[in-house]
Amino acid sequence: MKILIAEDEPLTLKMLSMKLQKDGYAVIQAEDGRKALEYLETEGCPDMVITDIMMPFFSGLEVVEKIRKDLLSNIPIIVLSAMGQEESVSAAFTLGVNDYITKPFNPNELSLRVKRLIVV
Amino acid sequence: MLLLFIIENNLQTELIIFTLLFICTVCAIFFISYFSSLLIQRRENEIQKIRDEKESLLVRLLFEGNSNESNDEILADYDEFRPLEKGNRLGKKKRMLHRQIMVDEMLEMKKNLSGAGVEDLYKLYNKLSLHEYSYQKLTSKKYQLMVMGIRELSEMNFKIYYRSIYRCINHPQEDVRIEAQVAIIRLFGVKGLRFLSIVTYTISEWQQMTLLHLLSHMKKDKPRGFENWFNSKNDSVIIFSLRLAEMYNCFELSDRIRYFLYHPSDALKIQSIFCMRNNYDENTELLLLAYYPIVNKPVKLAMLDVLKSISTGLSIPFLYKQLIDTELEIRFGILRILYRLCEGTEIIDAIENEPEIKDSIILMIDQIKIEEQIYN
Amino acid sequence: MCWEVWFFCFFAYGILIYSIIILNTYILIGVYSVFENIQHMRKHGFTDYSIVASSTVVPDISILAPAYNESATIVENVRSLFSIYYNNLEIIVVNDGSKDDSLQKLIDAYSLVKVPYLVIEKIATEPVRGVYKSTNIAYKKLVVVDKVNGGKADALNVGLNIASKKYVTCIDVDCILEQDALLRMVKPFMSTADKRVIATGGVIRVANSCEVEGGKITKVHVPKNMLARIQTVEYNRAFLLGRMAWSKLNGLLIISGAFGMFDREIALTVGGYDTKTVGEDMELVVRMRLYMEDNKLPYAVRYISDPLCWTEVPSSYRILWRQRDRWTRGTVETLRKHKKMFFNRKYGILGLLSYPYWFFFEFLAPIIEFTGWVFFFVYAMMGMIDWYFFFLLLIFIVCFGYLFSAFSILIETFTFRQYKEKRDIPKLLTAVLLEPFIFHLYIVGAAIRGILRVMLKETAGWGEMTRGGFSKKESRKCV
């Protein structure tokens, strides 16, 4: 099972990668929106995407849009972001994400949510 | 002519001296800049390496091994975390640097973690005795260090030194005050707000925002002490308390909050009105309408904003009368309320008798309609 | 003695005395500025901006970006505005009657539709042709206004009319902002308890030859173009060794038009930007200050010294001339309009220090220098020059300039360190050495021209800045 993580803070990225690897998933890291999109274009869709919103080059919302509208894929997407207000959340869900987690987050909880969504 | 000649000669020597001085200084400055730049760059690279190393270490400690023993194994390789003794490879300064960076990374990580992970961070901070250096900073005379010390201790939930931190609430240096107040909230949550009774300096908007943001992530126990705070001589404390009342939905304080509607300060009036958005009853709407005619424009706008959320059909006749208010901003505010309560056509019919404002109102209604459409 | 000699002596010594005064003043301001910089960095080194960034109770900000014929870059520029890390933001792009397809490009890129919008005209402006909003929820913050051409000041006034938020940030649409620029700019408004902050200004950095990707500066380079390089040194000097001091004294007369944040209420109360002047940014700040002074309201204008905004500076002599000509005209027009402040004790620091400083050292300096050169040539032809003394004096002044510039580079190295590569300092050194010869005299000429134009009341225009775009290393993908 491959999970793409798009996150610009190196510490958070390391943290997420290690946690998910411990859980048994293969992790692809993308340090910004552009790398995420590059990956999606060249390698196609992984089994799940976890993305931040505020990232350099392209925002997480644009990554989501790319997956849902251009690649027409239904893979589960989780948004993990510090921006927790109604606007961002509703924008994300309107674009078709499956879950929205705000930072600070509980890694164990994230683990459970990943497990729940990826089984689909 | 002679005079001029003499003056010129003196000036000449001075000029020569100064020019040579300048040239030397310029060369010196460039060399200093160049080499300093190189040195600083080297140090920055070093620090970045240490930072990467600590990041990986931290992630391993928290997520890889989850028991004390495996953590001890990992830590054994790191001299900076062993007690200071002879034979320790690292010098004192290097040791402090490594430990400081470790603390920085832990603070960074805390921003993103919640739940069990954070508890592990606190335990780690304890285990590595990183609080010693933080306390040193807290008790130093340089206020920049004090701020860092306070921040580290409070972020890592280290409560033992809280009295020293509490003493800084009214410190003359603004940054220390702010950090101390934030720290107390971090450590004690809502109970920490009792400092509001003793704070003498004004609490700036930035500070209030920081505190509110912090509190919003904590448990929702209601603060106690509003009676004191509402009577404070410090206006900023009153405004902050009103914001707290709004955040914690202190319905039982509604009467007291209403009282501020009569306060001479517009800022307090406005804050009390915003408070009523979540703490209203059947009388609130009428109270606002009763006071509407006698307040200033900014207060009016605040009232209209709140009425948008709480208004029932009661206000409709009053609002229609206010539509002829020449201030377009106010008209807009009124229309936004009316649009929620009645049909657009009803509104247009009601103003048939006011041809001067009819056009602008039709345009405003169109605008409100599109706004609601596009984004809902 | 003949009158020629007397005149000559009077003249030569007059210039000497003026030079000494101006050099000493620069030293004073420079030293004060450095102390302020260090203090500022210490004080603000540990503000945690991340709290503000994700907080929902931050103050609302409207960004005003006037645009004219920016078709080549406008979509990218607007995109970079979206990557600014701030909640509660409104982005207002004002299309000032562009003759190209800027508007259409925006409509296509951001799915804009024309919406009914009642513009509350608090300031009279050229007519607005339409207001556009996006149907895509990701671009909810964006408002594009199309209006009849009226100049930059007019476009900004339309923005002021339409903006609905408490603070407005006026930027040039091709400026690149650091991600936390707004956070830093808004802090003074919120953390000064006893005074009302009416405006904050930021540092403008030179973006030429910098690598830009996705609307952000990814790598900073010293510009390849020598003119741009010299301007880098110049901006450095002006900001590090000048503005900081004035900000501390609360005597800052100018907020750069490229990036400034204002309290919208005050800006509207004083009537917005003046469309009849080309120095609208400076003029507005002065007028806002005068308003607060006249009404005896405690206030402050603050300056953030962290590098927040990057822009492209002229790299050709022609455009440089036009830019400096325009700046000088703006300064003169502003000084003339508000001459009641001159040594007027009623206006405190503004009247006693700021205005006189601008008058004597920014306005008169090019005039005196130019006159000096003219007389030099005249007397040279009459054979009255003591060449040895003259060259000595010249070298002295040039070396002083070198010292000052070098000092600003030193301070830069120890504070913000934007130029980190090995070759950067030597590159800046070449710029410092060449500045008096290929740059300084040229801009003095442009300044004189500007002054003459104002004095002779020629109609002013914003002129056309040719946009060269950024470094060739720019790479971007339009999704």
Side-chain angles (χ1 to χ4, degrees), chain C residues 418-442:
Chain C
Q418 291 293 314
Y419 300 109
K420 297 187 183 165
E421 289 174 29
K422 274 197 188 155
R423 316 277 297 297
D424 283 347
I425 305 264
K427 282 188 195 168
L428 290 173
L429 169 65
T430 55
V432 169
L433 292 176
L434 288 176
E435 182 183 353
F437 306 112
I438 66 172
F439 184 77
H440 179 76
L441 292 174
Y442 190 72

Side-chain angles (χ1 to χ4, degrees), chain C residues 116-156:
Chain C
Y117 205 97
L118 185 68
V119 180
I120 302 177
E121 267 212 357
K122 300 190 192 80
I123 310 170
T125 63
E126 293 291 331
V128 168
R129 287 196 288 234
V131 175
Y132 298 78
K133 282 201 174 185
S134 174
T135 48
N136 185 339
I137 199 173
Y139 305 125
K140 183 176 172 182
K141 301 176 189 173
L142 182 63
V143 179
V144 175
V145 184
D146 183 32
K147 67 179 273 290
V148 171
N149 178 273
K152 184 175 176 191
D154 195 63
L156 285 168

Side-chain angles (χ1 to χ4, degrees), chain B residues 1 4 7-8 11-16 18-19 22-23 25-26 29-30 32-34 36-38 40-41 44 111 143-145 147-148 151 155 173-175 179 182 186 202-210 212-214 297 328-329 332 360-361 363-364 366-368 370-371 374-375, chain C residues 1 5 9 13 16 42-43 46-52 54-59 113 115-118 120 122 133-135 137 139-140 183 186-187 190-193 264 386 388-389 392-393 395-396 399-400 402-403 406-407 409-410 413-414 417 419-422 425-426 428-429 432:
Chain B
M1 226 34 199
L4 282 169
I7 297 176
E8 228 174 86
L11 262 178
Q12 274 180 5
T13 23
E14 273 165 16
L15 279 181
I16 296 178
F18 271 116
T19 310
F22 285 164
I23 295 179
T25 322
V26 170
I29 289 183
F30 268 110
I32 297 177
S33 306
Y34 182 66
S36 305
S37 188
L38 289 181
I40 297 178
Q41 185 62 43
E44 265 185 21
K111 284 195 197 127
Y143 77 87
Q144 302 92 319
L145 290 178
V147 171
M148 284 316 297
R151 181 174 297 174
E155 286 273 26
Q173 271 295 344
E174 184 182 2
D175 291 300
E179 199 62 41
V182 169
R186 269 198 207 113
T202 309
I203 309 179
S204 71
E205 288 289 309
W206 182 270
Q207 172 64 350
Q208 292 189 25
M209 185 184 68
T210 312
L212 287 171
H213 182 79
L214 204 54
K297 177 177 162 191
L328 290 175
E329 254 184 288
F332 237 122
S360 76
I361 290 198
L363 190 53
M364 284 188 199
D366 281 337
Q367 184 176 336
I368 298 175
I370 298 274
E371 265 173 31
I374 295 188
Y375 300 123
Chain C
M1 265 187 262
V5 180
C9 295
Y13 284 103
L16 190 66
R42 269 207 214 130
K43 206 168 144 50
F46 34 63
T47 306
D48 195 355
Y49 288 98
S50 64
I51 299 180
V52 191
S54 48
S55 164
T56 45
V57 291
V58 287
V113 290
V115 295
Y117 205 97
L118 185 68
I120 302 177
K122 300 190 192 80
K133 282 201 174 185
S134 174
T135 48
I137 199 173
Y139 305 125
K140 183 176 172 182
L183 302 174
V186 89
K187 181 165 189 264
M190 298 183 74
S191 48
T192 319
R264 184 169 148 263
D386 175 355
Y388 180 61
F389 184 69
L392 204 55
L393 188 64
I395 294 177
F396 173 76
C399 283
F400 179 85
Y402 284 167
L403 182 64
F407 191 58
I409 295 181
L410 182 74
T413 313
F414 282 107
R417 282 207 72 233
Y419 300 109
K420 297 187 183 165
E421 289 174 29
K422 274 197 188 155
I425 305 264
L428 290 173
L429 169 65
V432 169

Side-chain angles (χ1 to χ4, degrees), chain C residues 94-382:
Chain C
V94 183
N95 178 35
D96 192 31
S98 297
K99 294 203 188 67
D100 61 10
D101 61 345
S102 299
L103 182 64
Q104 191 56 47
K105 282 213 167 136
L106 284 174
I107 293 177
D108 296 333
Y110 296 103
S111 317
L112 301 176
V113 290
K114 194 167 181 182
V115 295
Y117 205 97
L118 185 68
V119 180
I120 302 177
E121 267 212 357
K122 300 190 192 80
I123 310 170
T125 63
E126 293 291 331
V128 168
R129 287 196 288 234
V131 175
Y132 298 78
K133 282 201 174 185
S134 174
T135 48
N136 185 339
I137 199 173
Y139 305 125
K140 183 176 172 182
K141 301 176 189 173
L142 182 63
V143 179
V144 175
V145 184
D146 183 32
K147 67 179 273 290
V148 171
N149 178 273
K152 184 175 176 191
D154 195 63
L156 285 168
N157 283 337
V158 167
L160 281 177
N161 280 338
I162 289 194
S164 56
K165 312 293 184 187
K166 190 166 179 195
Y167 302 115
V168 292
T169 307
C170 301
I171 67 168
D172 282 347
V173 74
D174 63 342
C175 271
I176 301 177
L177 294 185
E178 293 285 327
Q179 270 216 314
D180 57 356
L182 290 186
L183 302 174
R184 291 176 187 265
M185 288 282 271
V186 89
K187 181 165 189 264
F189 286 101
M190 298 183 74
S191 48
T192 319
D194 48 348
K195 298 186 198 170
R196 183 172 182 171
V197 174
I198 57 174
T200 57
V203 170
I204 310 296
R205 289 264 173 180
V206 173
N208 297 47
S209 300
C210 290
E211 291 173 47
V212 180
E213 290 189 83
K216 269 177 59 175
I217 299 274
T218 45
K219 200 136 197 283
V220 176
H221 294 291
V222 171
K224 286 203 190 69
N225 176 287
M226 187 48 75
L227 272 188
R229 210 182 280 186
I230 294 178
Q231 286 174 79
T232 308
V233 176
E234 186 196 12
Y235 278 41
N236 216 18
R237 245 186 0 234
F239 282 110
L240 283 179
L241 298 183
R243 300 267 169 113
M244 206 63 200
W246 287 112
S247 170
K248 176 69 178 184
L249 293 170
N250 201 16
L252 199 56
L253 269 190
I254 183 167
I255 299 268
S256 176
F259 186 43
M261 193 179 282
F262 302 93
D263 183 323
R264 184 169 148 263
E265 190 193 330
I266 308 280
L268 285 173
T269 312
V270 302
Y273 290 88
D274 184 349
T275 46
K276 291 195 214 67
T277 169
V278 281
E280 68 277 330
D281 42 4
M282 179 181 179
E283 204 279 323
L284 178 65
V285 175
V286 174
R287 203 157 11 104
M288 283 169 80
R289 299 189 74 126
L290 284 179
Y291 170 80
M292 302 298 281
E293 296 273 1
D294 283 334
N295 290 299
K296 302 241 180 301
L297 300 164
Y299 76 101
V301 174
R302 290 268 180 262
Y303 161 72
I304 313 292
S305 57
D306 312 287
L308 298 177
C309 175
W310 300 78
T311 190
E312 205 188 84
V313 298
S315 48
S316 79
Y317 277 105
R318 200 170 56 116
I319 300 182
L320 179 65
W321 178 277
R322 280 207 225 122
Q323 186 199 55
R324 298 306 162 117
D325 176 316
R326 179 164 49 87
W327 286 8
T328 313
R329 275 185 283 136
T331 308
V332 175
E333 282 167 357
T334 306
L335 288 177
R336 193 164 62 168
K337 187 171 172 190
H338 298 289
K339 56 178 178 274
K340 66 179 178 178
M341 287 199 300
F342 195 39
F343 281 134
N344 188 339
R345 202 151 22 137
K346 176 174 172 223
Y347 293 112
I349 300 275
L350 272 193
L352 297 174
L353 274 184
S354 309
Y355 189 101
Y357 173 85
W358 274 87
F359 181 78
F360 286 117
F361 300 133
E362 302 278 342
F363 169 63
L364 279 188
I367 297 180
I368 292 185
E369 183 170 347
F370 183 69
T371 330
W373 284 110
V374 164
F375 276 107
F376 164 73
F377 279 116
V378 166
Y379 279 110
M381 290 205 283
M382 298 208 299

Side-chain angles (χ1 to χ4, degrees), chain B residues 130-343:
Chain B
L130 292 167
H131 51 82
E132 287 164 0
Y133 188 36
S134 302
Y135 183 66
Q136 264 183 341
K137 284 187 256 184
L138 167 61
T139 47
S140 89
K141 294 215 173 51
K142 291 198 191 157
Y143 77 87
Q144 302 92 319
L145 290 178
M146 284 176 84
V147 171
M148 284 316 297
I150 296 175
R151 181 174 297 174
E152 287 166 17
L153 288 169
S154 61
E155 286 273 26
M156 288 293 121
N157 206 39
F158 205 80
K159 294 189 178 150
I160 295 180
Y161 303 122
Y162 89 91
R163 279 204 187 82
S164 310
I165 299 179
Y166 202 79
R167 260 181 246 131
C168 299
I169 297 276
N170 280 322
H171 196 275
Q173 271 295 344
E174 184 182 2
D175 291 300
V176 179
R177 283 203 298 277
I178 291 180
E179 199 62 41
Q181 292 170 6
V182 169
I184 294 293
I185 302 290
R186 269 198 207 113
L187 291 174
F188 300 109
V190 165
K191 289 203 203 82
L193 282 171
R194 56 185 241 258
F195 75 77
L196 285 177
S197 312
I198 64 162
V199 71
T200 47
Y201 292 89
T202 309
I203 309 179
S204 71
E205 288 289 309
W206 182 270
Q207 172 64 350
Q208 292 189 25
M209 185 184 68
T210 312
L211 291 169
L212 287 171
H213 182 79
L214 204 54
L215 287 166
S216 69
H217 286 298
M218 296 182 155
K219 283 201 290 223
K220 296 293 184 195
D221 301 325
K222 281 200 185 154
R224 294 223 234 117
F226 281 107
E227 305 75 37
N228 246 346
W229 304 333
F230 280 154
N231 290 325
S232 172
K233 293 198 190 66
N234 187 337
D235 268 5
S236 66
V237 170
I238 304 181
I239 292 188
F240 186 56
S241 313
L242 285 169
R243 288 199 169 115
L244 285 172
E246 183 186 351
M247 190 167 122
Y248 287 96
N249 289 331
C250 296
F251 189 72
E252 64 281 6
L253 296 168
S254 300
D255 286 333
R256 190 69 179 81
I257 294 172
R258 246 172 266 196
Y259 173 75
F260 287 109
L261 210 51
Y262 322 132
H263 199 279
S265 153
D266 272 357
L268 277 155
K269 282 198 187 83
I270 291 178
Q271 197 51 53
S272 73
I273 294 171
F274 283 145
C275 227
M276 293 178 203
R277 205 200 306 260
N278 295 332
N279 301 325
Y280 64 96
D281 58 23
E282 60 278 2
N283 297 323
T284 314
E285 189 181 350
L286 292 172
L287 179 70
L288 289 176
L289 295 177
Y291 262 83
Y292 182 89
I294 57 174
V295 295
N296 299 328
K297 177 177 162 191
V299 185
K300 278 197 171 96
L301 287 170
M303 283 184 175
L304 292 172
D305 194 42
V306 169
L307 281 170
K308 201 164 62 170
S309 321
I310 71 172
S311 183
T312 62
L314 284 174
S315 12
I316 299 185
F318 179 81
L319 289 174
Y320 273 133
K321 284 204 204 87
Q322 297 300 321
L323 265 182
I324 55 173
D325 193 311
T326 44
E327 283 272 10
L328 290 175
E329 254 184 288
I330 297 194
R331 217 180 279 170
F332 237 122
I334 297 176
L335 277 173
R336 284 208 167 89
I337 306 173
L338 288 172
Y339 191 78
R340 299 231 165 154
L341 297 171
C342 4
E343 288 295 321

